[in-house]
Amino acid sequence: MPAGSHQIALNLLGSAFLVGTDDPVTAAEISRLWHPFLQTEAAESAQAVTVDGATTSDRLGQFATTLNATALDAAPTLAIHAGVVARHGVAIAMPASSGVGKSTLTAACIRRGFDYLSDEALCLSYQDGSVVGYPRPIALSAWSVTAVHACAVGVPVGDESLFTADDLGARNHLGAARLGHVVMLDRAGDPRSAPSLTRASRPDAVTLLLRLSFNHYRRPADAVRLAADVVRAADVWRLRYGDPLDAADLLCSKLADGPQT
Amino acid sequence: MSQCSPSPRATFRPRGTVAALVTAPGAGRAMPAEPVGPPVAGLTATEVDGCFHIFNPATQRAVALNATASDIWRLSTGEHDVAEIVAILARFYQVDGDTIEGEVRQVIDELAGQGLFDVAAAN
């Protein structure tokens, strides 16, 4: 059992957690920000996580980092560093390493009407290649908040703020989705430059997905097969953009109806 | 799998599929003196748009091949030596064999360096 008078049961990608804290504000924020993962009771196998720290910001920041790393590493899916949104059950994955702007572009997309799956990980089922949502809180910098015209005030954590999809006027995608598009990101130096979306190489997309995977080492041969299978069935694009909302508008107009092959 | 590396690559341009130029070794055909390949057992090789990604469980590494390196991989069955592979590719790509031999050898060396060939079987 974790320490703390407030206890919260969560399940992220098959990993059960029982979270404990003495701070009611922290407990309330965890319940709100991680509400897609709330459980009515903790599983017997739940890992105990005690949340402490000097401030609510410290507590939530440490908690978010620990929870994310643990859940992705242990996920029964192939988990790949990517932002993921969906429309009509068709997912668009935007794989990229940290700092490229995944979360900002993901937030921009859901501001433009896409459903939210994740700002962190594309999770692919080894059984059928479907996309499993991982709607953790969206982490945005102050620049990103302005860039996507976020109306709500996020929960400050370090240099960023955490938002739910609901905070940004969107909804979480419930259930599995089919991967329709892989969009490789290319940030333009000039933020005012018009975005462009061009066809890109499927083999390059397979390589990128494998390079950005969190947990391929657990089932490496299956990971190679799965990455190839899902990319074979998807359209692959290169998005060059400066302004995230302009890019989201382009994705909305070009890709909102599913694969184009 | 420690990484998925982009090499080996060759730079001459593909013009279709090389498989059409590969003739199966017939009865009485002598085995090459220094065959390239065959692939070591247990590899996972997937092909997308003509390009292979190959995972080697022995090294826990995945290798990404471009289109021309993938053609060389297809020919690395243990039934051809380097000179034969160069000749097949030169005919297929409509280039001079001397022009591509260096790159072909380099790719084969890199594939071998990744532990993708069954050295015992080749001997």
Side-chain angles (χ1 to χ4, degrees), chain A residues 28-213:
Chain A
E29 290 293 10
I30 289 173
S31 295
R32 191 182 75 82
L33 290 166
W34 278 270
H35 72 88
F37 310 105
L38 283 176
Q39 304 291 302
T40 52
E41 59 184 72
E44 282 187 18
S45 61
Q47 301 174 60
V49 180
T50 299
V51 182
D52 51 21
T55 65
T56 302
S57 174
D58 289 345
R59 287 187 283 271
L60 288 173
Q62 188 180 31
F63 173 69
T65 302
T66 301
L67 202 67
N68 186 58
T70 306
L72 289 178
D73 184 66
T77 59
L78 176 60
I80 295 160
H81 211 174
V84 191
V85 296
R87 175 75 67 84
H88 307 311
V90 177
I92 299 173
M94 299 168 282
S97 49
S98 296
V100 171
K102 287 186 311 297
S103 293
T104 309
L105 185 55
T106 300
C109 285
I110 68 173
R111 294 283 292 155
R112 290 298 194 242
F114 284 98
D115 296 335
Y116 177 60
L117 278 93
S118 186
D119 75 332
E120 174 72 356
L122 168 65
C123 296
L124 296 166
S125 163
Y126 280 107
Q127 277 69 47
D128 59 9
S130 60
V131 180
V132 178
Y134 176 54
R136 70 164 202 169
I138 304 168
L140 298 177
S141 67
W143 181 89
S144 300
V145 169
T146 302
V148 303
H149 301 169
C151 301
V153 176
V155 178
V157 172
D159 296 334
E160 297 178 320
S161 298
L162 300 181
F163 295 83
T164 65
D166 188 56
D167 291 336
L168 298 174
R171 61 184 183 182
N172 296 316
H173 178 87
L174 302 175
R178 182 171 54 84
L179 182 61
H181 304 277
V182 177
V183 178
M184 299 189 282
L185 306 182
D186 183 7
R187 291 292 295 273
D190 182 356
R192 295 162 301 178
S193 63
S196 63
L197 189 68
T198 53
R199 293 274 184 181
S201 154
R202 280 194 175 96
D204 286 351
V206 175
T207 303
L208 183 64
L209 294 186
L210 292 171
R211 279 183 173 168
L212 293 174
S213 171

Side-chain angles (χ1 to χ4, degrees), chain A residues 201-204 206-208 210-211 216-217 220-225 227-229 231-232, chain B residues 1-6 9 44-51 53-55 60 62 64-65:
Chain A
S201 154
R202 280 194 175 96
D204 286 351
V206 175
T207 303
L208 183 64
L210 292 171
R211 279 183 173 168
H216 54 275
Y217 67 91
D222 290 339
V224 171
R225 272 191 289 264
D229 286 346
V231 168
R232 220 179 264 122
Chain B
M1 180 164 51
S2 58
Q3 68 177 55
C4 182
S5 69
R9 288 178 179 270
T44 296
T46 64
E47 186 177 350
V48 176
D49 290 354
C51 296
H53 286 77
I54 304 167
F55 171 68
Q60 293 289 296
L65 308 186

